[in-house]
């Protein structure tokens, strides 16, 4: 299949608009940028189109998909009830990186929701993404644009290498500003439940609501299963990844020592600049400064993909504080490491 590539700033071109509109209405696939990660999108009301997303990703259709809208006014077309506390969340965080789970209406097929009666909805913060939804004139369901088993894509090169020749259109929007998938919050229960941590933190949600929510995420590494199942291999690089927790000096000494032990293999260290400056490794992936968690978060998936591109066999990284945005970052890192954590 020939893939057309357009730049985000070309969306005002009428011919390009017509092409995007037609592709969505014929059940085709469009990879597009959002502020979190790139998505691989299809008409959420067309079951065959939804199924073809999974074919392109190379995995069975088990997971419920997020439906993306361009404006709040469209919400009632797709969800059957909007709880009273939803309003303060939508006012505070939409458009933006928060997915809210509602009870769905009939128009959303079971192919989108993995058979559930609920549907996750998000209005992306990136204007290019909302423009694409408007051009389509449809609700767009989109999982993260990555081949099965790979980390989510946050830059154009990664979506192009995964999806060129596999989708109709790729829109190049540059690097995703946030670089971590949206926070997922189920609001179908009296007390909302956080299902996936993201840029919108638990505290931000509780501040907007004025009451506490339930945290059902897998970010607390202490509470995680000892023998991780397939479920957790989602972000895993091919090399063995180890997270190291402790005070800075101990962590640096430990990693430097491990590098010496593994001299005959390809070892890489992923981390904040402050740590990497003290580490003597051949391969280092610099995530940014410790004081800037946004920068660190936006570089995680790029670093993880680099590991496989370089054929790295052992990967080490220090942990970060598991609070606020650190919770989302540690959630993704813990999965990447298969919950392999060394506490010093
Ligand atoms: O930032 C994002 O959310 C990106 C961009 C493209 O919007 N999308 C994304 O989609 O990460 P995906 O398919 O990789 O992850 C969707 C997450 C899954 O954890 C899924 O279980 C949850 O949302 N989800 C979707 N609908 C749900 C539902 N009805 N009930 C519970 N969880 C749901
Ligand atoms: Mg995903």
């Amino acid at each position: 299949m020939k893939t057309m590539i357009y730049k985000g700033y070309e969306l005002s071109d009428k011919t390009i608009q017509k092409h995007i509109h037609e592709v969505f209405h014929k059940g085709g696939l469009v990879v597009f940028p959002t502020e979190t990660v790139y998505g691989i999108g299809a008409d959420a009301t067309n079951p065959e189109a939804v199924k073809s997303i999974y074919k392109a990703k190379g995995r069975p259709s088990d997971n419920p998909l997020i439906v993306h809208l361009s404006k709040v006014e469209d919400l009632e077309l797709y969800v059957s009830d909007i709880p009273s506390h939803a309003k303060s969340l939508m006012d505070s965080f939409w458009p933006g990186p928060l997915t809210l789970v509602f009870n769905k209406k009939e128009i959303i097929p079971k192919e989108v929701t993995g058979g559930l009666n609920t549907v996750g909805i998000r209005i992306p913060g990136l204007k290019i993404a909302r423009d694409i939804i408007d051009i389509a004139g449809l609700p767009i369901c989109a999982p993260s644009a990555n081949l099965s088993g790979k980390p989510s894509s946050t830059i154009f090169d990664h979506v192009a290498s995964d999806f060129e020749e596999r989708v109709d259109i790729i829109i190049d929007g540059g690097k995703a500003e946030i670089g971590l998938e949206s926070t997922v919050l189920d609001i179908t229960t009296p007390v909302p439940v956080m299902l996936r941590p993201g840029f919108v933190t638990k505290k931000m949600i509780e501040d907007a609501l004025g009451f506490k929510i339930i945290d059902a995420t897998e970010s607390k590494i202490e509470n995680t299963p000892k023998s991780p199942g397939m479920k957790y291999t989602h972000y895993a690089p091919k090399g063995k990844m180890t997270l190291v927790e402790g005070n800075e000096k101990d962590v640096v000494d430990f990693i430097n020592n491990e590098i010496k032990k593994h001299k005959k293999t390809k070892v890489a260290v992923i981390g904040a600049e402050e740590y990497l400056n003290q580490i003597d490794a051949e391969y280092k992936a610099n995530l940014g400064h410790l004081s800037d968690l946004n920068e660190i978060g936006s570089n995680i998936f790029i670093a993880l993909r680099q590991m496989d591109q370089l054929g790295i066999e052992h990967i080490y990284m220090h942990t970060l504080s598991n609070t606020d945005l650190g919770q989302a970052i540690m959630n993704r890192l813990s999965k990447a490491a298969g919950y392999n954590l060394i506490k010093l």
Side-chain angles (χ1 to χ4, degrees):
M1 173 193 297
K2 171 105 183 82
T3 301
M4 286 301 294
I5 293 168
Y6 301 126
K7 300 273 185 199
Y9 58 77
E10 293 178 316
L11 291 180
S12 53
D13 182 310
K14 291 273 183 289
T15 318
I16 293 175
Q17 289 183 3
K18 188 163 171 270
H19 185 209
I20 294 171
H21 182 89
E22 276 172 13
V23 163
F24 275 123
H25 283 262
K26 280 186 192 150
L29 300 178
V30 178
V31 169
F32 64 97
T34 82
E35 76 282 21
T36 57
V37 299
Y38 277 76
I40 171 169
D43 173 3
T45 63
N46 177 344
E48 289 311 311
V50 178
K51 283 189 209 154
S52 64
I53 290 178
Y54 287 101
K55 235 193 242 154
K57 283 188 61 131
R59 69 165 168 131
S61 54
D62 47 357
N63 232 7
L65 300 181
I66 294 168
V67 173
H68 299 70
L69 305 177
S70 65
K71 47 188 182 303
V72 176
E73 298 82 80
D74 291 346
L75 182 65
E76 59 185 24
L77 300 172
Y78 308 107
V79 311
S80 65
D81 55 287
I82 302 175
S84 58
H85 51 250
K87 193 172 175 322
S88 49
L89 294 171
M90 296 188 296
D91 286 348
S92 303
F93 305 114
W94 278 6
L98 175 68
T99 296
L100 296 173
V101 175
F102 297 89
N103 288 314
K104 76 173 189 74
K105 277 191 175 161
E106 200 75 10
I107 183 169
I108 300 293
K110 65 178 189 325
E111 283 77 5
V112 170
T113 64
L116 298 172
N117 289 322
T118 55
V119 61
I121 307 255
R122 161 166 127 79
I123 299 183
L126 188 74
K127 184 163 183 302
I128 296 174
R130 296 198 303 278
D131 286 348
I132 288 161
I133 299 163
D134 278 337
I135 290 166
L138 294 165
I140 301 299
C141 63
S144 51
N146 50 278
L147 291 179
S148 179
K150 288 202 185 182
S152 302
S153 301
T154 55
I155 57 174
F156 173 75
D157 280 359
H158 293 166
V159 281
S161 77
D162 282 7
F163 292 107
E164 224 177 332
E165 315 293 309
R166 285 172 168 260
V167 299
D168 300 280
I169 296 174
I170 300 177
I171 315 268
D172 178 358
K175 185 182 174 190
E177 198 184 333
I178 292 176
L180 300 167
E181 306 89 342
S182 63
T183 307
V184 179
L185 186 73
D186 184 347
I187 53 169
T188 61
T189 47
V191 180
V193 182
M194 188 162 85
L195 301 175
R196 180 171 73 182
F199 186 84
V200 175
T201 64
K202 181 165 179 270
K203 179 169 186 308
M204 287 159 72
I205 293 169
E206 290 175 340
D207 285 350
L209 288 171
F211 59 86
K212 297 276 179 208
I213 60 166
I214 295 166
D215 183 353
T217 68
E218 295 154 4
S219 52
K220 294 190 192 73
I221 203 157
E222 298 80 24
N223 301 338
T224 50
K226 289 209 168 57
S227 61
M230 285 304 290
K231 196 174 159 206
Y232 302 130
T233 60
H234 185 65
Y235 303 102
K238 292 196 185 76
K240 182 174 187 219
M241 181 160 172
T242 306
L243 295 173
V244 188
E245 183 182 294
N247 73 50
E248 190 171 321
K249 183 173 184 311
D250 291 349
V251 169
V252 166
D253 289 348
F254 178 88
I255 294 177
N256 277 330
N257 203 32
E258 288 292 296
I259 295 167
K260 280 191 202 129
K261 278 205 300 208
H262 293 292
K263 260 213 175 90
K264 293 202 178 95
T265 60
K266 272 190 158 182
V267 183
V269 181
I270 300 176
E273 188 162 327
E274 290 84 348
Y275 279 81
L276 294 189
N277 284 341
Q278 309 172 64
I279 279 168
D280 187 24
E282 194 177 348
Y283 302 98
K284 298 185 198 179
N286 185 351
L287 300 174
H289 294 94
L290 270 182
S291 58
D292 190 349
L293 278 186
N294 292 352
E295 187 189 13
I296 289 187
S298 74
N299 288 323
I300 293 275
F301 289 141
I302 297 173
L304 289 173
R305 282 198 178 229
Q306 260 171 12
M307 297 300 110
D308 286 349
Q309 285 157 3
L310 293 167
I312 300 296
E313 293 159 275
H314 291 275
I315 305 157
Y316 293 91
M317 180 170 169
H318 57 85
T319 57
L320 294 159
S321 148
N322 203 9
T323 53
D324 298 325
L325 185 55
Q327 189 187 3
I329 298 174
M330 284 307 299
N331 169 275
R332 307 317 190 264
L333 288 173
S334 306
K335 287 185 184 190
Y339 296 97
N340 179 25
L341 169 78
I342 290 180
K343 289 189 186 183
L344 300 176

